[in-house]
Amino acid sequence: MIEFRSVTKRFDDGTVAVDNLNLSVDAGTITVFVGPSGCGKTTSLRMVNRMVEPTEGAVLVDGADVRASDPALLRRRIGYVIQQAGLFPHRTVLDNVATVPLLSGWTRRRARDRAGELLELVGLPTELGKRYPAQLSGGQQQRVGVARALAADPPVLLMDEPFSAVDPVVREGLQDELLRLQAELDKTIVFVTHDIDEAVKVGEKVAVFRQGGHLAQYAEPDELLARPADDFVSEFVGRDRGYRRLSFLDASGIELRDVPTAREGALPEPRPEEWVLVLNAEDRPRGWLPPGSTVDTGSETAEVQPGGSLYTKGTPMRGALDAALSSPSGLGVVVDEDGRYAGVVTAEEVLEAIQQRRAEPEHGEPEQGGFG
Amino acid sequence: MLQEILSWLTDPAHWSGPDGIPHRLLEHLGYTVVAALAAIAIGVPLGLFVGHTGRGGLALVGLTNGMRALPTLGLVTFLFLVLGSTQTSTLIALVVLAVPPVLAGTYAGVQDTPRGVVDAAQGMGMTGWQRLWRVEVPNATPLLLGGIRNAVLQLVATTTVAAFVGLGGLGRYVLDGLRVYAYPKVAAGALLVAALAVVLDLLLAGLQRVIVPRGLRLAAVTRRRGGVAREPERVGTDVVAGAVAREGANG
Ligand SMILES: Nc1ncnc2c1ncn2[C@@H]1O[C@H](COP(=O)(O)OP(=O)(O)OP(=O)(O)O)[C@@H](O)[C@H]1O
Ligand SMILES: [Mg+2]
C-alpha cells in the first residue's frame, strides 16, 4: 500500500507542484493519476521512489516512510517505467532487462535467465534480447521498459505515461497487455496519464488532479464517469463520458429480441419484406439479407450484406452499442461465448438500459439532463 | 620542387643521427603523447564531474574558451620567463592547448546522454557512481574520443613550436630550413607533420570503432534517419512476434 500523508511539494523557484495531497493507493491494484499537463502527477509519482523529496508531509510504502530507506535500495524494490522508455542504448535488450537484478548482486547468468523469462512475459520473442534498443519499434521499447521494471519482481510499479509516445493502435495493445500482466502478477501499480480514456480503461481507481496539485476526485472509473465531483472533473472526463461508461456496464439488463433467421445456402423464397439474419450450420451469423431483395441477382453471396460487429454476451455494454450502430439493419447481433446467435438489440434499447442503470438506487439520484 | 622534396626525404643522410627523421619523429611523437596523456588526465575527470553533477557548467565553458584564446607561442615564452625551463614550459603550453577539446568533448558526451536514460538509471536504483560508470561514460565515448582526436591533431600541428624555443621535433626542419632558405627541407618537415597527424588520427579512429559500444552506433544511425525503428505489422502479438523473428533471422 502507498500512502500520501499531507504531502506538499514546493520547488526552489516557488512552484507548488503538489498541495497537501492525501491519498492512499490500495495494494494489488492499478491506481491512475490523471489530469491536465502540469498538475503535479509526475511530481507526486516521483515522491514515491524519492526522485523528488516532499517539502512537507510523508509518503509511506507498506507503512514505512520512504525517507527511512536509502534511495538506491528503495528504488530497486520499486519498478519504474517512463514515457521515452529510457532504455540504455549501449546495452542489449537482455542486459537492459537484467539491470536491477545485476545491481542487486545476482550473478550475470541468473540475471540474464530471469531477463529472458521477462521478455516472454511481456510478449516479446526471446531472440529480441540480443538486439539493441535502437533496433526496436516504439511499442517494443515500451514492452522492454516494462520488463526491465519487473525484473527484480518489485511489489510496487510506478509508470509515468508509459504508453503515450506510441501510436493509438499499439497503445491499446500495450494497455491490454498490462491488464493481462496485472491479472497474473497482482502488483501495486501507480499509473500516470493525461488521457482519460486510458485512465478509465486501466485504472481500478482513478485520481483526478487539478492544476496546482490538488486532488479533485478519487474514485472508481464507473463512479467517476457517472458522478463527477464538480465542474472541473465533469469537464475533464468530457462530453462523451456516457459512452465511455458503457465500458463498465454489462448488458445483462437488456431484453434480447428475436429476428427472422435463415440458413446459409437455403434462403427463403420469395425473399421476405424484412431483414433476415443469415446463419451458418453452426448458428454463427454470416450477414444480413435485405428486405424484399430479388431472387435473381445471381449468387446468394451477392445478396447477403456483411453484418456489423458482433456483441458477445457478458462483455461491456459498449460492444452492444457498437454492434447496433454498425449493423446494416440497425439491429445489433448478440452471440453467446461460443459465437452462436443469441438475439438482437437496438441502439435505443442499449441507451434505455443505461438510463435505467443510472436510476438504480445503488447509483444514487438519477442525474439531470440527457445522455452524455 | 616536388622532386627536391622527394630527394631530401629519401636521402639516407637524413635518416640517421640526432637530426635524422626517425629521431625527430620520435621527439615530436613524444611531446604529443605526453601532452595528450596529461590533457586526458586533467580534462576527462573534470569533464565527467561537471557533466555528471551538472555543477559548474558555465564556469567550464568560460575556462575552456579562455584557454583556447591563449596563443601557444606567447604562452611558451611567458612560461619560460617564469619557470626558466624550455622543456617544461613547452609541455605545459601544449597541455593548455589540448585540455579544452578533451574537456569539452567529455562534458558534451556526458550531457548528451538522453534525459530519459539518466532518469531511468536513477529510478532503477543506480548510485551516482554506478550511473556514471555504467551509463554516462559509455554514452559519452563517441564525443569524448572525438575530443581526444581533436586534441591530438592540434598537438601534432602545434608541437612544431618546440623548435622555436630550441627543442627538437619535426619543427626543427621547418625552422632550420627557413633560416637558410632550404625550402625542400621546410616542405619535407611540414609533410612529415601532416603525415604523422593523419596516421595518429587513423589509429584513433580505429580505436573509436573498438571502444564506442555497438548499440550507440546503431542509435546514431537511427537518429539520423529520424525516429525509432519501423513498427512491425501489428495485427496481433503473434504476427508481431513472427515478423520480429523473421527480421531477426535475416539480420
Ligand atoms: N524541477 C522542477 N523545478 C521547478 N518546477 C518544477 C520542477 N518539476 C516540475 N515543476 C513544475 O511543477 C508543476 C507540476 O509538474 P509535473 O511534472 O508534476 O506535472 P505533470 O502533471 O506530470 O504534467 P505533464 O502531464 O505535463 O507531465 C509544473 O508547473 C512544473 O512546471
Ligand atoms: Mg508528467
Side-chain angles (χ1 to χ4, degrees):
Chain A
M1 197 179 67
I2 304 170
E3 262 179 285
F4 291 84
R5 285 201 190 151
S6 312
V7 172
T8 294
K9 176 64 194 182
R10 199 176 300 107
F11 284 106
D12 293 340
D13 63 359
T15 314
V16 178
V18 179
D19 190 14
N20 193 25
L21 176 64
N22 282 290
L23 182 109
S24 93
V25 170
D26 297 330
T29 65
I30 303 185
T31 298
V32 176
F33 291 180
V34 69
S37 183
C39 66
K41 307 179 293 290
T42 297
T43 306
S44 303
L45 185 81
R46 286 160 65 95
M47 285 193 283
V48 176
N49 66 357
R50 295 191 66 184
M51 299 284 280
V52 171
E53 301 282 0
T55 318
E56 284 161 39
V59 180
L60 282 71
V61 173
D62 285 331
D65 190 330
V66 293
R67 276 170 300 188
S69 310
D70 172 72
L73 295 178
L74 174 80
R75 289 171 195 154
R76 289 175 203 170
R77 285 180 276 123
I78 298 179
Y80 187 53
V81 187
I82 55 176
Q83 182 181 349
Q84 317 87 326
L87 301 182
F88 304 130
H90 59 292
R91 290 198 184 164
T92 61
V93 165
L94 203 65
D95 285 344
N96 260 284
V97 177
T99 303
V100 181
L102 285 175
L103 287 174
S104 309
W106 296 27
T107 62
R108 190 159 286 271
R109 189 205 191 103
R110 191 165 150 239
R112 287 206 171 134
D113 285 349
R114 171 78 181 148
E117 286 169 24
L118 274 147
L119 286 181
E120 243 166 79
L121 186 70
V122 299
L124 290 173
T126 33
E127 303 90 72
L128 224 68
K130 293 198 277 295
R131 292 212 198 169
Y132 287 93
Q135 295 168 301
L136 304 184
S137 69
Q140 291 170 334
Q141 290 185 15
Q142 286 304 340
R143 282 171 196 258
V144 176
V146 173
R148 181 174 66 173
L150 290 172
D153 205 15
V156 176
L157 200 57
L158 307 177
M159 309 179 86
D160 193 354
E161 305 202 28
F163 308 145
S164 63
V166 294
D167 71 60
V169 181
V170 178
R171 189 181 315 153
E172 280 206 21
L174 289 169
Q175 291 163 350
D176 293 336
E177 195 79 13
L178 176 68
L179 292 173
R180 183 186 64 73
L181 271 177
Q182 171 64 355
E184 210 173 301
L185 302 176
D186 221 24
K187 303 283 180 196
T188 305
I189 301 178
V190 183
F191 186 110
V192 167
T193 177
H194 52 243
D195 174 2
I196 184 71
D197 280 314
E198 185 167 64
V200 298
K201 179 172 176 185
V202 304
E204 289 165 76
K205 278 283 235 13
V206 177
V208 182
F209 283 67
R210 175 210 323 267
Q211 214 58 247
H214 296 279
L215 185 59
Q217 187 169 3
Y218 185 39
E220 287 172 17
D222 184 23
E223 171 75 11
L224 190 74
L225 295 172
R227 264 176 311 282
D230 56 21
D231 288 350
F232 170 80
V233 178
S234 81
E235 177 102 348
F236 187 76
V237 300
R239 297 224 160 280
D240 49 348
R241 65 189 154 90
Y243 179 64
R244 284 199 188 99
R245 233 189 121 211
L246 297 180
S247 309
F248 302 100
L249 303 174
D250 65 31
S252 54
I254 304 177
E255 203 74 42
L256 295 187
R257 291 201 285 154
D258 266 325
V259 70
T261 61
R263 288 275 163 224
E264 202 173 25
L267 300 185
E269 287 181 51
R271 302 291 194 241
E273 286 302 311
E274 55 187 332
W275 286 94
V276 175
L277 183 67
V278 182
L279 303 174
N280 71 4
E282 284 93 44
D283 275 349
R284 299 212 161 83
R286 308 297 297 173
W288 287 95
L289 186 64
S293 55
T294 46
V295 185
D296 47 32
T297 42
S299 72
E300 244 185 57
T301 41
E303 260 180 283
V304 176
Q305 296 187 6
S309 61
L310 298 176
Y311 169 66
T312 309
K313 267 183 174 171
T315 60
M317 198 146 24
R318 196 164 175 163
L321 191 61
D322 283 339
L325 294 175
S326 64
S327 166
S329 62
L331 298 166
V333 180
V334 182
V335 294
D336 61 20
E337 295 91 71
D338 300 326
R340 287 176 218 279
Y341 165 74
V344 295
V345 292
T346 63
E348 292 78 21
E349 285 164 343
V350 179
L351 298 182
E352 234 167 71
I354 294 161
Q355 289 293 356
Q356 262 170 24
R357 285 295 174 86
R358 206 170 276 189
E360 277 168 21
E362 78 211 49
H363 285 278
E365 290 297 298
E367 231 178 283
Q368 294 301 311
F371 162 63
Chain B
M1 182 73 182
L2 214 63
Q3 201 76 58
E4 293 170 67
I5 298 172
L6 210 66
S7 62
W8 190 92
L9 278 173
T10 47
D11 184 345
H14 296 150
W15 284 87
S16 62
D19 195 38
I21 293 172
H23 186 241
R24 291 292 181 221
L25 202 61
L26 275 181
E27 279 176 341
H28 205 98
L29 194 63
Y31 288 127
T32 301
V33 169
V34 170
L37 289 179
I40 289 170
I42 296 167
V44 170
L46 200 58
L48 289 181
F49 175 80
V50 177
H52 176 77
T53 60
R55 267 182 300 194
L58 267 181
L60 184 99
V61 172
L63 180 76
T64 51
N65 283 341
M67 282 168 84
R68 276 184 177 136
L70 287 175
T72 303
L73 192 55
L75 187 62
V76 175
T77 316
F78 171 77
L79 286 170
F80 175 68
L81 291 176
V82 177
L83 302 172
S85 153
T86 44
Q87 184 111 6
T88 321
S89 313
T90 308
L91 271 175
I92 292 178
L94 288 177
V95 172
V96 167
L97 174 83
V99 164
V102 174
L103 187 56
T106 309
Y107 171 68
V110 174
Q111 287 285 303
D112 198 48
T113 314
R115 273 233 21 85
V117 172
V118 176
D119 193 56
Q122 221 167 351
M124 299 280 104
M126 288 193 187
T127 62
W129 283 109
Q130 285 169 333
R131 172 158 58 94
L132 177 67
W133 287 114
R134 300 185 189 196
V135 179
E136 287 166 343
V137 169
N139 272 279
T141 48
L143 290 178
L144 193 161
L145 292 172
I148 292 177
R149 271 173 79 176
N150 227 326
V152 167
L153 281 183
Q154 290 190 36
L155 280 175
V156 172
T158 313
T159 298
T160 331
V161 303
F164 286 81
V165 292
L167 296 174
L170 294 168
R172 279 257 67 88
Y173 298 140
V174 179
L175 201 68
D176 298 346
L178 276 175
R179 210 168 277 148
V180 298
Y181 306 107
Y183 292 118
K185 187 172 177 180
V186 175
L191 266 181
L192 285 169
V193 172
L196 181 62
V198 169
V199 169
L200 286 180
D201 198 49
L202 281 177
L203 278 176
L204 287 172
L207 192 70
Q208 204 166 3
R209 276 203 74 79
V210 177
I211 293 181
V212 173
R214 190 168 120 76
L216 283 182
R217 273 182 276 137
L218 290 167
V221 172
T222 316
R223 249 203 315 268
R224 270 202 296 282
R225 288 207 201 111
V228 293
R230 187 171 43 86
E231 199 78 45
E233 281 179 79
R234 50 178 95 90
V235 184
T237 344
D238 295 343
V239 180
V240 174
V244 167
R246 270 199 309 283
E247 249 180 73
N250 296 341

